[in-house]
Amino acid sequence: MKVLITGGAGYIGSAVASACLDAGITPVILDNLVTGRREFTGQREFYEGDISDGALLDKIFAEHPEIEATVHCAALIVVPDSVSDPVRYYQWNVAKSLEMLQHLIRNGCHRLLFSSSAAIYQASEGGSVDETSPIAPLSPYGRTKAVCELMFADIAAGTPLRVVSLRYFNPIGADPQLRSGLQLRYPSHALGKLIEAHKSGEPFRITGTDYPTRDGSGIRDYVHVWDLAAAHLAALRSFDTALAGATSLAINLGTGTGTTVRELVAAFNSVVESPVAVVEAPRRPGDPAGAYTRSERARRLLGWESAHSLADGIRDSLRWAGVRDSVLSGSGD
Ligand SMILES: NC(=O)c1ccc[n+]([C@@H]2O[C@H](COP(=O)([O-])OP(=O)(O)OC[C@H]3O[C@@H](n4cnc5c(N)ncnc54)[C@H](O)[C@@H]3O)[C@@H](O)[C@H]2O)c1
């Protein structure tokens, strides 16, 4: 079996590609390297180009007629950038995806796994959400994901296309074999900031201690990227049965357990030798309390649940931070 992976040179797409290879599925990667890394495509079928390039997609399908499905990870993902340059985000995430879909349908590739996001849910007061929870994204980035889901569902209803949207929660960790991980040297999420604080000896700032959560700090659902990759394998294998005659479907991918920022710090300090000190700071404007998922649908339809612990995710993030500069040549930040 072959699978086309758009954005396969990025953080999540490269992990999905590695998991496919390990499982005997051949990944064919399409990536324009806007944020992805050539180093993550070594020894893999790799086409450098844009998802909206119809001639390139025709060439890929002519050269790999065995492709049975597309995993669509390619997107721009930086929330503040989407606020300052919304036109670019709608163009790249929505318009280019629409063009790509036409090329997929023309080439007879009708199974689409879409990288969606928990960012589409209405801000929660620290509780859990499931796939039926209200959709109300807070940023243009989140809205491009919600718009894509709606657009894909409409197209699936009127064409042979079938879509499973996988709504990722908060990916952490790296491929356990360290073939790839986060490209950024200084990731802006809480675990990235913790790793930075650990390295520099500066205290870690807990931003917001008055949220309506069990200890007042924000809550997230940290899912190991290798578990996400395993969920894609499960979704590829059970694509048709999971849809059960429907034309489109959404599935949340998280651990099912919320972790507060204070709990994340405690887990981090249980993994490292020299603990990180913390200082408390006010909420950052616009930061919601956060949410975690109820995972019943992923269990029932994909037979999937996360297998790695929070400590595993922290350890693998640290291991990756230790090798990142040697894997990525000429790396920026
Ligand atoms: N990382 C997260 O926290 C997170 C959470 C939820 C959902 N997602 C979704 O998962 C997907 C992958 O995210 P990631 O964290 O791996 O980001 P990433 O930036 O590492 O990967 C995106 C990849 O897509 C490529 N790309 C972007 N636009 C392209 C285009 N027009 N043509 C060809 N290639 C293009 C980039 O070069 C990059 O390799 C995205 O769709 C994102 O919205 C990510």
Side-chain angles (χ1 to χ4, degrees), residues 186-205:
Y186 301 114
S188 61
H189 59 42
L191 179 55
K193 297 271 181 216
L194 264 171
I195 294 175
E196 218 179 309
H198 183 245
K199 215 170 145 186
S200 69
E202 297 284 313
F204 170 78
R205 285 162 64 84

Side-chain angles (χ1 to χ4, degrees), residues 91-160:
Q91 191 148 42
W92 277 63
N93 291 0
V94 179
K96 283 177 188 280
S97 290
L98 177 60
E99 284 191 55
M100 179 193 77
L101 227 60
Q102 292 175 279
H103 307 315
L104 293 182
I105 294 170
R106 186 179 67 249
N107 280 285
C109 186
H110 295 147
R111 294 189 186 92
L112 183 72
L113 275 185
F114 172 55
S115 296
S116 188
S117 172
I120 69 173
Y121 288 116
Q122 187 176 338
S124 140
E125 285 299 289
S128 65
V129 295
D130 71 10
E131 293 83 354
T132 63
S133 297
I135 303 295
L138 283 175
S139 69
Y141 162 72
R143 274 187 284 280
T144 66
K145 291 280 146 182
V147 168
C148 274
E149 278 203 21
L150 289 170
M151 179 174 83
F152 294 159
D154 277 345
I155 293 171
T159 69

